[in-house]
Amino acid sequence: MLTRRDPGSSPWAFLSLRTHGGFADGLLALSFHRWIKFEEKVEDGGERWSKPHITTLSLHSLFELRTCIKKGTVLLDLDAHSLKQIIDAHVLRPEVRKKLTSVLLRTPQHHTTKSQLRIVAELGALKNQFQKKIPAEAEVSNILVGEVDFLEKPFIAFIRLQEAVGLGALTEVAFPSRFLFILLGPRAKVKAYHEIGRAVATVLTDELFQRVACQAQDREDLIAGIDEFLDELTVLPPGKWDPTIRIPPPKCLPSPHKRYQRGKTQQLSGALLLKSRAGPEPVSEELQRTGRLFGGLVKDIRRKVPWYWSDFYEALNIQCFSATLYIYLATVTNAITFGGMLGDATDNMQGVLESFLGTAVAGAVFCLFAGQPLTILSSTGPVLVFERLLFSFSKDYSLDYLEFRLWIGLWVAFFGLILVATEASYLVQYFTRFTEEGFCALISFIFIYDAVKKMLSLADNFPVNWDYKINDVTLYGCICNSSGTGRSRLPPKQRDNTVSMIGWGLEAANWSLLTRTECLRVGGHLVGNSCNYMPDITFMAFILFLGTFLCSMTLKSFKTSRYFPTALRKLVSDFSIILAILIFCGIDAILGLETPKLIVPSEFKPTNSQRGWVVFPFGVNPWWVCLVSTVPAVLVIILIFMDQQITAVILNRKEYRLQKGAGFHLDLFCVSLLMILTSVTGLPWYVSATVISLAHMDSLKKESTTSAPGDQPKFLGIREQRLTGLVVFILTGVSVFLAPVLKYIPMPVLYGVFLYMGVAALNSIQLMDRIQLLLMPAKHQPDFMYLRHVPLRRVHLFTLIQVLCLAALWILKSTVAAIIFPVMLLALVGIRKAMECIFSQQDLSWLDDIMPEKDRKEEEEKLRSSQEKEESDSEDVSRAGKSCLPQMSLH
């Protein structure tokens, strides 16, 4: 059995059970089991281990175990360094000791159909792979049971060594042993011995009994621990189930701290209730006010400087390479999408090239100096809405758009620096889950909506002939016809459809042989009832779109599948998005259809030739524009502050277990300075992109490499570093030179990635879980923590209010009233405050606590653990007068 050397920590259990049969002159292992939280058994033939399963025992075997501990030898804190010394510690007759030593020191062999060479080779490989799953500080316990012919009555010994020692070939893996249980007796009772051995193994894998076994000072303590185990036992009646069925391990194990008597649970519930009534949690260290100008900014810099160099060398991992490719393609797609939308909204005063350049420069600077470099900067939907309204206003009142925008940007930067100086990020503590989820859901739905909208627009660009009839196939056609303008035409082309571009002055002899592009180029027009239809393109685009989305979802969850080794499954999961993109780019290339491709600007010049790369503050606009700009600047700074800080709060949730701290003031400072740069150069404004940033975090999750068979890997945190984001934005900047390669990526594939990011972000918020509860009967609802403490009707009311606020934000951003959209984001905080008149503090502490579900459970376990520690300390004091010497009994 493997346990951690600190008995107070979460225990690991690797327990090895051998059941032996044979005679004194030879010993044969008839059965071999092991426990690492769950039982595994060598199947018949000795060729493989069984699947991990929950141990099922007979009640009689546990009673027999209690008797063995009561009547057998118990050696606690024995000072021995080998199995021979352990045997010599027993007072036995010389001839019995000699035979017992011979039996126990022999290496047992399994019945097997394999050759010895194959066994040795596979065993070596198995041990190497198996040992990687076990923590380095683990310890082993061994249980040896069997029958021999030289004993008249059973020999029983329970031994706890003073120091864990290696026992050579006795253990399957090279870890030190702490506990041993030996049961040898007369023949004809091997099955009973085997069941007692399984009972010992099951008890020793129990986390509470492990603590008892590590701290026990006499046999009475061990018996009391077994009695405690028996008190919590669940018995299944015979004939009502099949004992041969192996029960698979659950996906989530309950905490051992929940197994306390009801009185303690009631005390705990009272403590949690008092805690919820006590008000909000203390302000985190990142948001504590210093009372000095720029005091919060200085603290952020001091907090991040010690980690700065580690932010680069900790990125040297293949997972970071996968994340870089994934986020790069997402960022490029986003830059093209929003660049195109900005171009349409501003008459190309800001277009795709400006979007690429701004994304590269602003993003790279932010990743180098920001407090939370995992944040991805981008143009966002709310900013795009404001740009559209600002351009329309400038056009209606004959103002220079870029100059007007420059003054707004300068005022926004000024207001942002004032907020940094006054430590206004302190207000972030009022952004509860209600506000976070409303904003995150809005941005996620914008991603999903834009992806679907772009795909539906393909039906207009590549229309499908829904009136097509196969019987009329001979009537369909499309040819090029002369426009009759008298212009010189291309010469007739040959039957192989190649057109000679020599002799353009000659009249065309056969217009019908020109291609569509050639026909339109020389002034002809298309005639026929199938000229406008391209059905293959539209349908293929939707196949690529949905295929990329579904493939990404499937491959991302591949690490939890049953197929292939763990390392391969994790690798596929880490590269899931890249693999999905490559798969469907390959499908598109094989089929050869002219689906719309990614088009990257190939020349470095402004999209609109009427503008330059620098915007001057005093040009054609009246002087008073610099003062009037303060009004829209107030709305923009509210939008920037809410967008930036809500995203920062989401990314710095406790559930991500970040170790290097946040930097709310430093992030806002960087965004404010970048606002000056992008305004002067006429580039788009940038702020934290919630969905892409969440995708970045998700692609950098770390999981434990040591997990028991049947147990799920544990989430360890995020790879916190600056390099992935920095490389993403550098690649975005040089994408102009990668146009020959990027042109082969179909846009529907990238829209599928957009859809995946939107759906993945929605799945990460509690709101979606509560929306699903509206459609579930009570008996099928998951066991969420808040459902244990809040009435279901109150949960539904809270969800309804949140959905109505989300709908109001969506409608508002889609109408002419979108100018007040930033104010409505701020209003979410006020609405949440007003909800305290409807919901009790206890209800809100469960429904609107910023801690995620797992952290709420961990909070309960910490409270239970603290109570248990206090009780354990009191018990230690009461035992202070008892003898600490181990007691021994002889058989």
Side-chain angles (χ1 to χ4, degrees):
M1 163 184 151
L2 292 185
T3 57
R4 293 193 184 274
R5 294 172 187 173
D6 176 13
S9 64
S10 177
W12 262 77
F14 169 54
L15 195 144
S16 153
L17 166 63
R18 289 182 174 89
T19 303
H20 305 290
F23 301 93
D25 58 347
L27 188 68
L28 186 66
L30 299 180
S31 181
F32 190 19
H33 298 246
R34 72 182 180 196
W35 278 256
I36 311 179
K37 292 190 178 181
F38 306 105
E39 181 180 5
E40 296 175 83
K41 176 189 175 183
V42 174
E43 304 286 20
D44 293 343
E47 294 191 5
R48 73 181 188 97
W49 285 99
S50 69
K51 291 182 60 177
H53 55 277
I54 297 174
T55 304
T56 55
L57 301 169
S58 66
L59 188 59
H60 182 72
S61 65
L62 289 168
F63 289 137
E64 289 290 331
L65 170 61
R66 190 181 186 279
T67 303
C68 289
I69 298 297
K70 185 176 182 180
K71 296 183 178 181
T73 301
V74 175
L75 299 176
L76 300 178
D77 294 332
L78 177 65
D79 187 10
H81 301 281
S82 67
L83 187 58
K84 187 176 186 305
Q85 292 181 3
I86 295 173
I87 299 171
D88 291 342
H90 294 75
V91 180
L92 299 170
R93 297 193 308 273
E95 64 275 11
V96 173
R97 176 183 292 140
K98 181 178 180 181
K99 293 181 179 179
L100 191 63
T101 302
S102 175
V103 168
L104 294 178
L105 293 182
R106 286 176 178 262
T107 302
Q109 299 293 331
H110 291 285
H111 287 298
T112 179
T113 58
K114 297 182 181 180
S115 67
Q116 293 296 321
L117 182 62
R118 183 179 177 186
I119 293 173
V120 172
E122 292 187 358
L123 185 60
L126 173 61
K127 287 185 177 181
N128 291 335
Q129 294 297 324
F130 180 62
Q131 194 160 350
K132 292 179 181 178
K133 295 178 174 291
I134 302 175
E137 68 273 16
E139 295 175 346
V140 182
S141 294
N142 290 275
I143 299 172
L144 303 174
V145 300
E147 56 179 13
V148 291
D149 62 349
F150 56 84
L151 291 177
E152 297 178 357
K153 58 183 179 181
F155 170 80
I156 305 168
F158 181 90
I159 303 156
R160 184 183 71 201
L161 299 178
Q162 184 176 6
E163 296 292 338
V165 296
L167 297 180
L170 185 63
T171 59
E172 181 186 359
V173 287
F175 284 97
S177 295
R178 173 77 63 175
F179 291 93
L180 282 90
F181 180 83
I182 303 173
L183 171 57
L184 295 177
R187 299 188 60 192
K189 291 188 177 181
V190 66
K191 184 175 181 180
Y193 299 156
H194 177 72
E195 290 303 310
I196 294 174
R198 293 181 67 246
V200 177
T202 305
V203 171
L204 280 173
T205 54
D206 181 72
E207 295 185 357
L208 297 186
F209 185 82
Q210 284 180 19
R211 180 170 298 184
V212 172
C214 289
Q215 299 177 352
Q217 299 188 19
D218 49 39
R219 73 172 69 244
E220 282 72 21
D221 291 342
L222 294 174
I223 293 175
I226 295 176
D227 291 340
E228 190 79 19
F229 184 87
L230 288 169
D231 289 342
E232 301 178 50
L233 203 61
T234 300
V235 179
L236 295 174
K240 304 300 181 182
W241 73 296
D242 185 359
T244 62
I245 294 177
R246 293 173 178 171
I247 304 174
K251 292 184 178 180
C252 182
L253 288 174
S255 168
H257 302 300
K258 295 180 180 179
R259 294 161 44 193
Y260 288 140
Q261 51 265 43
R262 184 172 301 176
K264 295 180 181 178
T265 303
Q266 291 175 350
Q267 292 176 2
L268 175 65
S269 299
L272 286 172
L273 179 58
L274 289 175
K275 184 180 178 185
S276 67
R277 291 177 177 174
E281 293 284 333
V283 180
S284 63
E285 189 268 338
E286 294 94 342
L287 295 176
Q288 290 179 355
R289 305 190 72 172
T290 64
R292 302 187 302 272
L293 287 179
F294 294 102
L297 176 64
V298 173
K299 286 180 62 178
D300 283 352
I301 295 175
R302 289 176 177 173
R303 185 185 309 111
K304 303 303 291 188
V305 165
W307 300 102
Y308 194 78
W309 294 115
S310 67
D311 286 342
F312 291 94
Y313 64 73
E314 289 182 2
L316 302 178
N317 185 279
I318 192 172
Q319 186 180 17
C320 294
F321 174 70
S322 167
T324 299
L325 294 179
Y326 168 33
I327 301 302
Y328 163 66
L329 291 175
T331 302
V332 167
T333 306
N334 192 63
I336 291 175
T337 302
F338 280 96
M341 293 179 179
L342 277 172
D344 295 340
T346 63
D347 285 349
N348 285 326
M349 287 297 180
Q350 296 181 77
V352 176
L353 183 65
E354 288 79 7
S355 181
F356 266 80
L357 182 60
T359 300
V361 174
V365 172
F366 188 86
C367 285
L368 281 174
F369 302 107
Q372 182 47 273
L374 295 175
T375 303
I376 300 296
L377 294 191
S378 173
S379 295
T380 61
V383 174
L384 176 63
V385 170
F386 185 86
E387 294 276 15
R388 181 183 292 113
L389 295 174
L390 179 62
F391 182 80
S392 299
F393 180 85
S394 301
K395 189 175 182 180
D396 292 342
Y397 290 91
S398 301
L399 298 175
D400 184 274
Y401 162 68
L402 291 179
E403 183 182 331
F404 190 15
R405 181 179 178 273
L406 168 62
W407 281 109
I408 295 175
L410 294 177
W411 280 112
V412 169
F414 175 72
F415 293 148
L417 293 177
I418 291 178
L419 293 177
V420 174
T422 57
E423 301 178 299
S425 295
Y426 172 81
L427 300 174
V428 165
Q429 62 177 315
Y430 297 103
F431 296 166
T432 63
R433 182 184 293 273
F434 178 87
T435 306
E436 294 173 30
E437 292 188 341
F439 183 78
C440 182
L442 175 67
I443 303 301
S444 300
F445 279 122
I446 289 176
F447 262 69
I448 296 172
Y449 173 79
D450 287 341
V452 175
K453 181 181 178 181
K454 284 288 186 180
M455 289 303 302
L456 293 177
S457 67
L458 292 179
D460 297 329
N461 298 328
F462 305 96
V464 177
N465 185 3
W466 298 105
D467 297 325
Y468 177 84
K469 297 179 180 178
I470 193 170
N471 190 49
D472 297 337
V473 65
T474 57
L475 305 179
Y476 298 136
C478 180
I479 61 173
C480 179
N481 193 15
S482 173
S483 300
T485 59
R487 293 176 55 189
S488 59
R489 308 300 182 196
L490 286 174
K493 66 178 182 177
Q494 306 301 320
R495 289 294 179 184
D496 61 357
N497 290 335
T498 60
V499 179
S500 172
M501 295 299 171
I502 302 174
W504 274 40
L506 301 176
E507 284 294 323
N510 191 351
W511 283 78
S512 63
L513 295 180
L514 295 178
T515 65
R516 178 180 181 276
T517 303
E518 295 164 351
C519 179
L520 297 177
R521 183 187 304 166
V522 298
H525 65 275
L526 302 175
V527 178
N529 51 10
S530 64
C531 292
N532 296 324
Y533 302 118
M534 291 165 279
D536 293 341
I537 304 300
T538 300
F539 292 139
M540 187 61 201
F542 273 94
I543 291 175
L544 296 175
F545 171 67
L546 296 176
T548 303
F549 167 70
L550 295 176
C551 186
S552 299
M553 296 288 288
T554 302
L555 293 180
K556 191 65 179 177
S557 61
F558 187 68
K559 63 183 176 183
T560 59
S561 73
R562 301 179 179 181
Y563 304 102
F564 303 105
T566 303
L568 179 59
R569 285 188 275 119
K570 185 178 184 303
L571 187 66
V572 170
S573 178
D574 290 342
F575 284 83
S576 56
I577 314 301
I578 304 302
L579 288 175
I581 292 174
L582 291 177
I583 289 172
F584 284 91
C585 285
I587 293 174
D588 177 77
I590 291 173
L591 295 180
L593 295 177
E594 296 180 0
T595 52
K597 300 296 192 295
L598 177 63
I599 300 177
V600 179
S602 57
E603 295 181 344
F604 188 77
K605 65 179 182 179
T607 307
N608 192 318
S609 58
Q610 298 179 1
R611 57 154 293 180
W613 285 118
V614 178
V615 180
F616 296 96
F618 299 101
V620 297
N621 288 344
W623 65 269
W624 46 263
V625 169
C626 64
L627 301 178
V628 174
S629 301
T630 57
V631 177
V634 171
L635 297 176
V636 176
I637 191 58
I638 294 175
L639 174 62
I640 295 294
F641 182 82
M642 296 292 291
D643 201 338
Q644 174 66 38
Q645 301 296 52
I646 291 178
T647 303
V649 169
I650 293 174
L651 297 184
N652 289 283
R653 283 176 178 169
K654 291 183 180 180
E655 66 178 286
Y656 291 118
R657 302 184 182 181
L658 301 180
Q659 302 297 318
K660 300 182 180 180
F664 296 98
H665 309 282
L666 182 55
D667 289 347
L668 185 58
F669 179 76
C670 292
V671 170
S672 299
L673 294 183
L674 288 172
M675 183 66 67
I676 298 176
L677 175 63
T678 54
S679 299
V680 170
T681 55
L683 301 177
W685 291 332
Y686 293 94
V687 72
S688 296
T690 308
V691 172
I692 300 182
S693 299
L694 283 174
H696 190 204
M697 297 277 280
D698 186 66
S699 64
L700 293 171
K701 286 183 177 179
K702 296 186 295 184
E703 292 183 338
S704 60
T705 56
T706 56
S707 58
D711 198 13
Q712 297 295 326
K714 291 181 174 56
F715 173 66
L716 301 179
I718 304 293
R719 296 191 186 277
E720 300 176 63
Q721 37 73 45
R722 299 177 183 271
L723 199 56
T724 55
L726 181 62
V727 174
V728 162
F729 292 115
I730 291 176
L731 289 176
T732 302
V734 301
S735 293
V736 173
F737 307 103
L738 300 177
V741 176
L742 298 177
K743 68 180 182 180
Y744 293 105
I745 302 178
M747 287 304 297
V749 169
L750 299 180
Y751 295 147
V753 175
F754 258 45
L755 179 62
Y756 167 79
M757 289 192 296
V759 172
L762 280 180
N763 290 336
S764 67
I765 60 178
Q766 188 196 85
L767 172 62
M768 299 309 298
D769 293 333
R770 287 187 274 106
I771 290 177
Q772 294 176 38
L773 291 178
L774 295 170
L775 308 176
M776 292 183 187
K779 64 180 179 179
H780 295 303
Q781 292 175 353
D783 184 24
F784 294 132
M785 291 297 296
Y786 53 82
L787 291 179
R788 301 181 184 180
H789 301 274
V790 184
L792 186 60
R793 64 180 183 278
R794 308 293 289 174
V795 175
H796 289 339
L797 177 60
F798 187 88
T799 304
L800 181 61
I801 295 174
Q802 203 169 8
V803 170
L804 290 176
C805 290
L806 176 61
L809 287 175
W810 183 271
I811 294 173
L812 186 66
K813 84 164 192 68
S814 305
T815 62
V816 292
I819 190 67
I820 64 170
F821 179 80
V823 179
M824 284 302 299
L825 281 179
L826 193 61
L828 287 178
V829 180
I831 294 173
R832 165 60 181 84
K833 186 66 177 176
M835 291 172 64
E836 295 180 0
C837 300
I838 304 175
F839 297 89
S840 67
Q841 286 295 328
Q842 182 186 7
D843 291 349
L844 290 176
S845 69
W846 287 101
L847 292 173
D848 197 30
D849 197 325
I850 61 173
M851 289 190 299
E853 185 78 13
K854 63 178 70 174
D855 285 343
R856 167 62 76 177
K857 293 180 179 179
E858 290 177 0
E859 188 73 15
E860 283 192 343
E861 292 174 7
K862 288 178 181 177
L863 287 174
R864 290 190 176 97
S865 180
S866 63
Q867 288 187 357
E868 178 194 7
K869 187 176 185 302
E870 292 175 0
E871 295 168 0
S872 177
D873 292 342
S874 63
E875 291 176 0
D876 291 343
V877 171
S878 65
R879 288 186 178 184
K882 295 182 66 175
S883 173
C884 295
L885 293 176
Q887 299 182 10
M888 294 181 291
S889 61
L890 306 179
H891 274 274

